[in-house]
Every structure is written in C-alpha cells, then in structure tokens.
Amino acid sequence: MATRDLSQSIMRRKPIDDIEEENKHSGLHRSLGLWQLTAIGVGGIIGVGIFSLAGLVAHGSESEPGVGPAVLISFLIAGLASAAAALSYAEFAGMIPRAGSAYTYGYVALGEIIGWFIGWDLLLEYIAIVAVVAIGISGYFDAFLSGIGIHMPAWMTATPDEGTGGIINLPAILVCLLVTWILSRGTKTFGRFELIAVGIKVLLILFIIGLGIFYVNTNNYNPFFPSGFGPVVAGSATVFFAVFGYDAMSTAAEEATDGKKHMPKAIILSLVIAMLLYAAATLVLTGMQNFTEIDPKAGFASAFNSVGLPVIATIISVFAVLSILTVMLTFLLGVTRVWFSMSRDGLLPGWFSKTDRHGTPQRVTWIAGVGAAVLAGILPIKAVADLTNIGILAAFVVVCVSVIVFRYKKPDAPRTFRLPLMPLVPAFGVFASLFLMFQLHWETWLRFVVWLIVGLIIYFTYGRRHSLMNPDSPRHEEIVEMHRPLT
C-alpha cells in the first residue's frame, strides 16, 4: 500500500485545465509579441556558438582533435537533432503557454517526478549556459583590448587550469552581474533591449559573412575532415550548445501577448534563421584562416587579423560582446522562469515565486545571476559547455517523449500547431539527443548524475510533500491565507 501511494504521488500529473487559471494570477506581465519572442529565440541561439564554439571545435583542444572545416557538419548534425525537438516544443507551446518550458511539459505529460528532474536539471544547465557565454564574452573583450594596445593581467582573465597564469576570470564575473541587472528591470525593458541587440547581432554576422567571403582561401578547406568523421560527431555534441536557445525562449510563454498563437511560430522562425547564419559563418571562418591557427576563444577576430584587417577584428570584438549578451539574457530569463514555476507549483519554497512591481521574480534572478558569475569565474569554457549540453539534451528527450505520450492520451486537446510525421519526428529527436549525450565525457556524466541525486534528495524531503498536487500540502494553507480579504 505504501509503495502504491508513493508511486501514485510521484507520478501525479498536472491537469492542463488548471494552467489557464494559474496564468491569470502569476504576477508576470504580458508584453512580448511575435517578433520580440523571435528575437529572444534568435538571441539565445546565435552568439557564443558562432563567436567562440565554432573556433573551439574547428581548432580543437588538448583532449579533442580539431575538426577543421567540417565544423559545418558538426553544426548541421546538431541542428538536425535540434529541429526535431523544436517541433515538439512548438506543439507544446501552442497548447500550454506557461512559464517552465520542458519542466511544465514533462509535468503535464509524464508526471511530477519527471517534471521535477527536468526542472532541477534546467536550473543548473541554464545557469551554466550563462556562465559559458560570459567566458566567451571575456575572450572577445580581451581581444578587443589587445587590439587597441591594452593588455590585461593574465591572473584576472583566465582560470587556473588554462595554464596561462590565471586565477579568476574577472570580466566574465562582471558581465554576469551586468545582465542580471538588465533582466531585473522587467520583461518589457528586457524585450526592447533584446530586439535591438539581436538586430545589431544579425547585421554584424551578415557583415562578417559579406566581407569575409572575399578573403576565403579554398586551400584552407583541404582536407575538409582532417581528423576523420568521429571527432565531427563528438564536436556536434559540443556545438549543440549553440542550437537550442528557443527552449529558453519558451519559458517566457506567460509573458507573451498571445502565447498559443505566437510561441510555435517564434520557435520555428528562430531556429531556421540561426541555422542559415551558422552554415554561412562557419564556412567563412574556416575558409579565411587555417583551422590550426584559429583562436578558439575569439575565432572571427583572429580570422580577420590573419588577413591583415586588425581594425575589422577590433570592431567584431566590440560588437561580439554586445551580441553575445543577448544569449546570456535569454538563458538567465529561462532559469528564473523555470525556478519561478517550480516554486509556484510547491516543489520549491514559495519565497522564490514572489514578483515585484515590474512583474519580475527578483530573488531568483539575482541568485541565478550570482551563481553564473561564480561558475564563469572559476571553470573553463569546454567543461561548462559540456555540462550544459547533457542537461539540455536530457530535456529534449523528455519533451520529445512527452509530445508522443500527450498526442495519444489527449488527442483532442486544442493545438495551434501539430508537428508533422508523428511519431517519427519526436522519436528521431529522442534517438539523436541520446546519441549526442553519449558523445560527452564520463566526467560530464558524473557531474550530471551528482546534481540529479542532490535534486532527488530535495524532492523527497521537501517537494513531494509541499507540491500543490498533494491534497495535504502545507502550501494550500499559505495560498488561502494570501488571498484572504483584509478586515
């Protein structure tokens, strides 16, 4: 009996009919239209993938051989896997326009324990993404200063494991705190900033492609697969970090003016735009400079320096910093909305789901921002990038499985978008995501498992009992008291 009760409690599903009513009392402000949502998606996808990870995977590292021009194939493999998940996200976003993204979808379709695991997973992964992007910005900022003759001390621009005499990555820490402050100003302000910054970013990439193509040396494409095909597939697991920003955008569903209509369109639009730009940019990067000479931290800056255009390299470094900021903003928004949603559902303390007059959950915003700053200051970019990828890939598996389950359990639920070729597309998403997960190092798996074990302890000691899906939850009394009329 006890085992049956435990099984029923951890597998309880959040009713989809409750979500609309919850949204009305969320405290979040609806201010994001289709193009602002698309800008948030593009802002989350395009950034460190082009400006840092493309050069890193092409050049290689001590533990991974460089894949050279075949970095294009790495991006295409990652993009194909991501597309299957994107279509699954689009179908759910059209049904459930609620903060929480994969956490909420898993909770509704597969049950509370699955939703908890993915939500807990995303808290770490999104914070780590903010950190890895901050490290990428730090590399371009250092390249910019070097271009104008200013050289920052090594101890404050790198971590100890990089072997350059570094102690802490101070610029990365400061930029984490900057984006936290921007996001804390409210969603409306954030949406405007994101739209402008993403416009600048796209223009910058088009400028890089348009100018760089005149300096492409086709000899640099030979050999196209300098290390064989294996490292290309492994590289796709690393650059996967660059092709999933739309999932963080989906966490802003409750702040969309018409989430059911606009979210599916914004998800698909943002991925298509990003992949077209990635394909062109990687070809230009590896065509301008031999992959063995590309700076893995500031690829395009080094490429333009190599063809005698240091001024252009400096300009790229300046605007790369601004454009990569949008990635940090998107994922910091994502982690705060997942955290907010888990708190509102009772799985984490209600203290975290309080919003201010801007409709912003300030407490989780600053906690997440400071956490990202700590990771960015002490960890290398490759370790953090792999840590984020395994978590997002796990989330993709859950979303793809969820959309299959929900299509058969609730075939008549209103859907503003239905993904094609059900169940082949989401099944491919599951296979591709698991395949990429197994390309990652065992150390990454170890960190991931340890984090999930910590989450399991918290769920069984707090979340399961306080969940609003538990009829005996102490949180029910808190909610009644909160809405009691003043006398």
Side-chain angles (χ1 to χ4, degrees):
M1 179 66 73
T3 303
R4 183 186 305 168
D5 290 343
L6 174 63
S7 174
Q8 289 177 346
S9 68
I10 66 176
M11 295 308 296
R12 53 200 173 200
R13 292 173 173 83
K14 191 168 189 65
I16 192 171
D17 295 335
D18 293 350
I19 289 176
E20 283 293 334
E21 186 62 28
E22 288 180 358
N23 289 356
K24 295 176 183 177
H25 306 288
S26 70
L28 301 173
H29 292 180
R30 295 184 180 277
S31 58
L32 302 174
L34 172 61
W35 292 110
Q36 286 174 310
L37 289 168
T38 303
I40 293 171
V42 173
I45 299 172
I46 298 177
V48 76
I50 281 184
F51 293 111
S52 292
L53 291 183
L56 174 68
V57 173
H59 178 272
S61 62
E62 291 184 3
S63 59
E64 297 286 351
V67 305
V71 66
L72 167 66
I73 308 301
S74 294
F75 272 100
L76 292 179
I77 292 172
L80 188 61
S82 185
L87 293 171
S88 300
Y89 271 88
E91 178 162 324
F92 264 121
M95 286 191 297
I96 310 173
R98 186 179 192 265
S101 186
Y103 154 71
T104 299
Y105 308 153
Y107 200 166
V108 168
L110 302 179
E112 186 170 279
I113 189 68
I114 303 299
W116 164 266
F117 268 128
I118 290 305
W120 182 250
D121 161 40
L122 291 180
L123 295 186
L124 175 64
E125 310 318 323
Y126 283 176
I127 289 174
I129 290 168
V130 176
V132 74
V133 176
I135 296 169
I137 288 179
S138 176
Y140 270 94
F141 183 65
D142 192 31
F144 162 67
L145 292 180
S146 298
I148 60 175
I150 300 175
H151 299 281
M152 297 177 68
W155 68 266
M156 63 184 292
T157 59
T159 51
D161 56 284
E162 294 183 46
T164 58
I167 297 176
I168 191 169
N169 195 329
L170 188 59
I173 292 174
L174 294 177
V175 78
C176 284
L177 299 180
L178 172 63
V179 297
T180 304
W181 178 82
I182 293 173
L183 189 59
S184 73
R185 297 298 85 200
T187 308
K188 190 172 184 179
T189 300
F190 156 73
R192 288 172 179 169
F193 176 87
E194 190 86 343
L195 190 60
I196 294 169
V198 168
I200 294 172
K201 176 194 295 192
V202 172
L203 289 175
L204 171 65
I205 295 170
L206 290 174
F207 169 75
I208 289 172
I209 295 169
L211 180 60
I213 199 168
F214 292 103
Y215 294 90
V216 167
N217 181 352
T218 55
N219 290 330
N220 289 328
Y221 294 141
N222 188 22
F224 196 80
F225 292 90
S227 304
F229 193 71
V232 173
V233 177
S236 67
T238 296
V239 301
F240 192 82
F241 172 88
V243 295
F244 58 71
Y246 57 81
D247 74 303
M249 177 259 286
S250 69
T251 66
E254 282 181 55
E255 292 151 282
T257 54
D258 189 347
K260 287 187 176 181
K261 179 180 178 181
H262 292 155
M263 288 300 301
K265 293 178 182 178
I267 288 171
I268 295 169
L269 272 173
S270 59
L271 184 60
V272 170
I273 292 169
M275 290 310 301
L276 290 173
L277 292 175
Y278 274 143
T282 52
L283 282 173
V284 168
L285 173 65
T286 53
M288 289 179 67
Q289 187 175 24
N290 187 279
F291 76 94
T292 60
E293 299 170 356
I294 293 174
D295 182 349
K297 280 191 172 182
F300 280 103
S302 72
F304 279 94
N305 270 320
S306 72
V307 295
L309 295 174
V311 174
I312 300 298
T314 302
I315 293 173
I316 289 173
S317 296
V318 172
F319 283 98
V321 169
L322 174 63
S323 64
I324 297 176
L325 276 176
T326 64
V327 181
M328 297 183 68
L329 281 164
T330 298
F331 283 101
L332 189 58
L333 173 76
V335 68
T336 59
R337 274 37 178 187
V338 172
W339 202 330
F340 167 87
S341 193
M342 294 177 73
S343 172
R344 181 176 55 182
D345 290 339
L347 300 180
L348 290 171
W351 185 85
F352 295 119
S353 57
K354 304 295 182 184
T355 58
D356 66 0
R357 61 187 177 86
H358 299 293
T360 301
Q362 290 284 357
R363 293 167 178 172
V364 296
T365 297
W366 282 101
I367 293 171
V370 171
V374 171
L375 287 180
I378 63 175
L379 292 179
I381 190 169
K382 181 71 165 60
V384 186
D386 283 349
L387 183 60
T388 66
N389 287 342
I390 193 171
I392 296 300
L393 286 164
F396 278 13
V397 170
V398 167
V399 172
C400 290
V401 170
S402 296
V403 81
I404 296 172
V405 170
F406 211 70
R407 180 73 75 88
Y408 290 105
K409 281 185 171 291
K410 296 282 187 179
D412 299 324
R415 292 169 168 86
T416 58
F417 173 82
R418 298 174 74 91
L419 66 83
L421 300 177
M422 172 67 82
L424 294 180
V425 170
F428 173 75
V430 172
F431 170 78
S433 298
L434 288 173
F435 177 76
L436 291 176
M437 287 177 74
F438 285 106
Q439 305 305 308
L440 298 169
H441 289 168
W442 68 267
E443 293 96 333
T444 303
W445 276 91
L446 178 62
R447 296 186 190 106
F448 181 61
V449 170
V450 168
W451 178 253
L452 292 185
I453 290 173
V454 172
L456 191 66
I457 294 170
I458 294 174
Y459 174 74
F460 279 105
T461 56
Y462 181 91
R464 176 171 165 265
R465 189 169 75 88
H466 288 79
S467 167
L468 293 184
M469 294 300 296
N470 176 12
D472 301 319
S473 170
R475 288 288 298 277
H476 288 300
E477 297 178 9
E478 296 175 23
I479 292 173
V480 170
E481 186 64 32
M482 184 172 62
H483 291 96
R484 192 186 303 279
L486 296 176
T487 56

